[in-house]
Amino acid sequence: MRLMTLADGTVSLHVDDRPTDDDEFDSPLPYGLTLDDAVAVRAREVEVGDLVIAFTDEQFGARRVDHCPQPFPAAPTSPPGCSGRACEECAKLEAWTLADHARVADLAWRYVCLSPAEAGEPCVIERATLPVIVVRAERVERAKAASGPVRRPFSVTWSANVEAADPEEAAQLAYEQVRAQVEAATVMRWEVSEPEGEACTVTAPVAATEAGA
């Protein structure tokens, strides 16, 4: 747990460590970042590129800090943030203004859209004064540069057409083909894809093939 205080000293927050025993939180913060890199700011002070990692909410006189299962880079804008194509969150604001048309003018200073709607996800709209836990953009960029290329899961497959009496024989014949190609230092072609990404064919260099033998 860490104690974070807003720059104006008005609010102090006890921030628990990011959960590790919940299926929703299946990955750590990117680039090796931790809560030690984070600061508490009001939503209106969030800047482009800041990594939003947690929100706060008042509950029974105390302020609770809820971590985002998927931290996201901020792109602050005035609500509604989905460019005229009203999402669920923008619709809620529109319903709020219908009760009093004078509230329309209040939106810009009462609320901020931290992430406009995209890919079927609604806008992330919060009260402008809400304390938010973020990692500032410049720190994110430094950590990104220091961590090198982002490693992500790939699926690599090699296929062969064989005639066999049963699956076991087919697998053995395919294995013998791969072994023969490796022993002969023959360049091989592999189909490589990442989750929800397009597959492409990659030629494995002889040296890489030998190293993996």
Side-chain angles (χ1 to χ4, degrees):
M1 177 181 290
R2 291 159 177 74
L3 179 66
M4 296 187 185
T5 304
L6 292 176
D8 59 13
T10 56
V11 178
S12 293
L13 305 165
H14 292 279
V15 184
D16 291 327
D17 291 334
R18 182 173 172 79
T20 58
D21 57 353
D22 191 315
D23 291 341
E24 284 191 306
F25 298 84
D26 58 357
S27 61
L29 295 179
Y31 315 125
L33 293 167
T34 69
L35 281 180
D36 291 334
D37 301 299
V39 295
V41 299
R42 296 197 185 276
R44 64 170 175 252
E45 299 167 336
V46 175
E47 300 175 355
V48 174
D50 288 353
L51 185 69
V52 181
I53 63 175
F55 292 101
T56 64
D57 188 23
E58 291 182 344
Q59 188 177 37
F60 305 114
R63 191 172 289 277
R64 183 183 65 192
V65 177
D66 291 326
H67 286 268
C68 302
Q70 297 294 332
F72 60 91
T77 185
S78 296
C82 51
S83 303
R85 299 181 60 185
C87 68
E88 178 182 349
E89 294 304 311
C90 288
K92 290 179 182 178
L93 280 188
E94 184 178 357
W96 178 76
T97 61
L98 289 177
D100 182 355
H101 291 292
R103 292 181 176 180
V104 175
D106 291 345
L107 288 181
W109 67 269
R110 282 183 181 269
Y111 297 93
V112 60
C113 176
L114 296 178
S115 179
E118 61 178 15
E121 295 296 324
C123 292
V124 178
I125 299 176
E126 298 294 344
R127 298 192 315 276
T129 57
L130 181 81
V132 179
I133 308 301
V134 304
V135 179
R136 287 300 196 185
E138 59 269 20
R139 185 168 293 240
V140 174
E141 288 301 315
R142 288 200 302 269
K144 181 178 180 180
S147 66
V150 177
R151 304 187 70 84
R152 51 193 195 279
F154 286 91
S155 174
V156 183
T157 59
W158 175 86
S159 63
N161 295 319
V162 298
E163 292 185 359
D166 53 48
E168 288 74 17
E169 182 186 4
Q172 181 63 32
L173 291 173
Y175 166 75
E176 290 173 359
Q177 286 190 29
V178 172
R179 181 176 178 180
Q181 288 182 281
V182 170
E183 290 178 347
T186 303
V187 172
M188 301 173 67
R189 296 185 181 277
W190 303 84
E191 185 175 273
V192 182
S193 61
E194 56 184 314
E196 300 180 1
E198 295 184 0
C200 63
T201 300
V202 177
T203 300
V206 174
T209 304
E210 291 175 342

